[in-house]
């Protein structure tokens, strides 16, 4: 009987097209399973290259009790290491981000290079081999500037996702951007409910007035709102408009077909028209930063990427907004949102930080409330697995990914 035998039973109760059994959302064991087993078996989105822009910049990515240091080396490479000293195990970095010339343990000052090599350890016996005590590396992939890490010894393949994502975001050149604003929002809901909420716009009309000024809900089962019209237009009209847009994108050389969670993979990549003629995801639809990051001028479309199981990203012509999520407890989730602008953009001159963040700051708050209500309702005796609408097929895709990877991770553990 493994520690998570009860979880295995719950995973078996999954029904295609329906939400999960209660205890997978609210149970203490499910949280431990997610943080210690399931999420450690897959690639997780941590940050962008702009979060560790210069050699010596580091960024912590933490899941449960495990902490990773993501650090840029002198050679420009971004690497990840366990945030645990190879002497007696002290946590090396406590600060969430920072800049260091090398990594020095606060306990007995063992000192490591930015490439993880042990450089100095005082008074060790003669047989001690420094080369055997470098920091323990973690799998890291730089996907066109988006940094993914995996806590597994044998990470799943990532090549298809790299090909689909890296090529499409190359034009936005994340290496030239800087993090202008970063918000940490702790949501009182299970992380899977925060993710499910992100994967549908069934709730958008009523809850997201700010977001709907620019976001097209097409791709979530609805048409594109047009100026002065109601939010939903018929599919044929939308498809014709999309076709016209696509021809223009193709001529500019940046159109690729929608990539929608290809079999066995975990990413969705979509260029979508913005609504109401907006050129950025802002309150007034205008650019938030005057220094564009996109080579073709103001652009009424955005490129969006959603990855299982913990991220989504929107690329506009003037800024990028990127979201990384980790569970902190059964009913506690950290959503970190970062807004990136051109590295030369000057705050107060080229952009106003509050204006840049306004749409998604409001949207995150609204979604947090919805996810917490979702969690609260599921906790009660009245909850039964509920049927997803046709506008929630991407919720089902997330949930199915969770169940399949959960089952596989349990099987691998038993082996
Ligand atoms: O745009 C997003 O990332 C998600 C998808 C639909 C609703 N939403 C806010
Ligand atoms: Fe790090 Fe001793 S635990 S130097
Ligand atoms: Fe929402």
């Amino acid at each position: 009987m493994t520690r998570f035998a009860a979880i295995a039973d719950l995973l078996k109760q999954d029904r295609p097209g329906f939400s999960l059994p209660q205890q997978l959302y609210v149970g203490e064991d499910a949280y431990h399973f997610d943080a210690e087993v399931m999420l450690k078996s897959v690639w997780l989105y941590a940050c962008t290259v702009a979060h560790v822009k210069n050699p010596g910049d580091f960024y912590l990515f933490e899941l449960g009790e495990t902490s990773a240091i993501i650090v840029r080396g002198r050679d420009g490479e971004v690497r990840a290491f366990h945030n645990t000293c190879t002497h007696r195990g002290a946590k090396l970095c406590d600060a969430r981000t920072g800049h260091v010339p090398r990594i020095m343990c606060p306990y007995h000052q063992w000192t490591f290079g930015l490439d993880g090599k042990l450089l100095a350890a005082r008074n060790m016996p003669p047989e001690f081999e420094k080369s055997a005590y470098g920091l323990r590396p973690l799998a890291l992939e730089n996907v066109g500037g988006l940094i993914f890490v995996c806590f597994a010894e044998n990470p799943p393949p990532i090549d298809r996702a790299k090909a689909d994502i890296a090529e499409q975001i190359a034009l936005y050149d994340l290496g030239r951007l800087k993090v202008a604003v970063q918000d940490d929002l702790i949501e009182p809901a299970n992380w899977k409910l925060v993710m499910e909420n992100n994967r549908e716009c069934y709730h958008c009309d009523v809850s997201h007035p700010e977001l709907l000024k620019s976001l097209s809900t097409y791709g979530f089962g609805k048409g594109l709102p047009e100026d002065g019209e109601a939010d939903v237009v018929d599919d044929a009209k939308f498809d014709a408009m999309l076709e016209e847009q696509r021809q223009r994108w193709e001529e500019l050389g940046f159109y690729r077909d929608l990539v929608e969670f290809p079999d066995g993979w975990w990413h969705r990549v979509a260029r979508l028209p913005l609504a109401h003629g907006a050129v950025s995801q802002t309150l007034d639809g205008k650019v938030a930063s005057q220094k564009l990051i996109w080579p073709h001028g103001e652009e009424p479309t955005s490129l969006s990427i959603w990855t299982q199981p913990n991220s989504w990203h929107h690329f506009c012509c003037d800024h990028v907004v990127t979201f990384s999520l980790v569970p902190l407890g059964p009913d506690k989730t950290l959503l970190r949102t970062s807004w990136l602008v051109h590295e030369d953009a000057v705050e107060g001159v080229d952009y106003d930080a509050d204006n840049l963040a306004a749409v998604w700051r409001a949207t995150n708050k609204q979604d947090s409330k919805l996810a917490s209500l979702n969690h609260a309702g599921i906790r009660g005796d009245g909850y039964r697995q509920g049927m997803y609408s046709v506008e929630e097929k991407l919720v089902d895709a997330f949930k199915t990914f969770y169940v399949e990877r959960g089952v596989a991770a349990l099987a691998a553990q038993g082996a």
Side-chain angles (χ1 to χ4, degrees):
M1 184 79 130
T2 73
R3 181 176 167 210
F4 292 115
I7 298 293
D9 286 342
L10 288 166
L11 289 169
K12 280 192 203 123
Q13 290 169 34
D14 173 49
R15 300 172 66 187
F18 284 77
S19 58
L20 291 167
Q22 179 193 50
Q23 284 306 311
L24 285 179
Y25 289 119
V26 303
E28 187 82 32
D29 279 359
Y31 163 68
H32 287 290
F33 170 70
D34 291 354
E36 292 159 35
V37 182
M38 189 270 160
L39 289 171
K40 285 191 179 162
S41 72
V42 295
W43 287 100
L44 299 172
Y45 168 69
C47 61
T48 70
V49 288
H51 290 81
V52 285
K53 211 164 163 55
N54 300 305
D57 287 352
F58 70 87
Y59 181 97
L60 297 195
F61 181 69
E62 306 194 304
L63 174 66
E65 304 302 329
T66 300
S67 177
I69 309 175
I70 296 168
V71 60
R72 192 184 287 269
R74 293 191 194 288
D75 55 359
E77 274 303 297
V78 181
R79 299 179 178 83
F81 301 102
H82 280 281
N83 190 4
T84 297
C85 183
T86 50
H87 175 221
R88 278 170 49 211
K91 190 169 182 177
L92 293 161
C93 298
D94 219 8
R96 207 179 69 191
T97 58
H99 178 87
V100 286
R102 55 195 79 75
I103 299 168
M104 192 198 278
C105 180
Y107 202 172
H108 314 96
Q109 292 74 48
W110 279 28
T111 304
F112 303 86
L114 301 173
D115 58 1
K117 285 201 185 81
L118 177 60
L119 301 175
R122 282 174 289 119
N123 286 339
M124 295 303 288
E127 66 273 21
F128 177 72
E129 299 256 9
K130 265 203 310 215
S131 60
Y133 287 87
L135 295 179
R136 276 191 62 206
L138 276 164
L140 177 146
E141 284 285 349
N142 179 345
V143 178
L146 301 176
I147 304 288
F148 290 81
V149 294
C150 181
F151 291 101
E153 296 287 334
N154 293 307
I158 193 168
D159 47 312
R160 167 82 199 258
K162 264 184 115 163
D164 287 342
I165 297 172
E167 185 197 14
Q168 293 215 46
I169 64 176
L171 270 175
Y172 296 88
D173 201 353
L174 283 164
R176 279 180 324 160
L177 308 192
K178 65 171 180 184
V179 180
V181 184
Q182 187 168 290
D183 276 7
D184 278 358
L185 179 65
I186 296 184
E187 303 199 26
N190 186 263
W191 71 277
K192 298 187 288 298
L193 296 173
V194 179
M195 284 303 300
E196 289 195 11
N197 172 273
N198 169 259
R199 295 299 142 100
E200 48 96 352
C201 239
Y202 199 32
H203 68 273
C204 290
D205 285 350
V206 170
S207 294
H208 295 321
E210 297 85 356
L211 184 66
L212 290 187
K213 290 183 195 297
S214 59
L215 187 94
S216 150
T217 54
Y218 180 82
F220 296 93
K222 282 198 201 149
L224 177 77
E226 288 179 341
D227 265 346
E229 283 191 15
D231 253 3
V232 184
V233 296
D234 67 86
D235 283 351
K237 195 168 162 195
F238 180 82
D239 287 346
M241 185 197 299
L242 191 62
E243 197 39 51
E244 206 183 295
Q245 292 262 29
R246 280 185 174 162
Q247 277 172 20
R248 189 177 62 80
W249 306 342
E250 219 155 37
E251 276 155 28
L252 286 170
F254 59 82
Y255 175 63
R256 303 284 179 285
D257 279 327
L258 169 76
V259 177
E260 188 152 273
F261 300 117
D263 236 10
W265 290 90
W266 40 273
H267 56 285
R268 179 176 194 262
V269 187
R271 177 167 296 285
L272 294 169
L274 293 168
H276 306 295
V279 292
S280 188
Q281 293 179 352
T282 51
L283 290 177
D284 60 6
K286 297 186 178 131
V287 292
S289 174
Q290 298 306 320
K291 289 247 173 344
L292 300 190
I293 59 174
W294 166 254
H296 300 294
E298 292 195 356
E299 169 62 40
T301 66
S302 62
L303 181 73
S304 300
I305 297 169
W306 293 268
T307 70
Q308 318 288 30
N310 82 319
S311 83
W312 60 98
H313 318 259
H314 297 288
F315 290 70
C316 298
C317 64
D318 64 322
H319 77 277
V320 175
V321 55
T322 156
F323 305 77
S324 157
L325 174 157
V326 275
L328 299 177
D331 57 359
K332 211 167 157 194
T333 300
L334 169 64
L335 177 67
R336 179 164 292 167
T337 308
S338 306
W339 289 263
L340 281 61
V341 295
H342 195 286
E343 61 190 359
D344 298 334
V346 178
E347 185 175 358
V349 178
D350 298 305
Y351 69 95
D352 173 83
D354 286 335
N355 180 49
L356 174 68
V359 166
W360 279 102
R361 197 172 266 165
T363 305
N364 285 345
K365 214 170 143 201
Q366 292 148 359
D367 282 330
S368 175
K369 178 72 188 165
L370 295 172
S372 77
L373 288 173
N374 199 174
H375 192 107
I378 291 175
R379 219 174 355 218
D381 291 347
Y383 174 73
R384 296 291 178 275
Q385 287 168 258
M387 188 189 279
Y388 295 132
S389 84
V390 294
E391 291 182 39
E392 293 170 306
K393 65 185 169 88
L394 299 181
V395 182
D396 202 28
F398 164 76
K399 185 219 61 173
T400 303
F401 177 90
Y402 170 76
V403 171
E404 285 177 2
R405 298 300 167 111
V407 168
L410 270 181
Q413 234 195 11

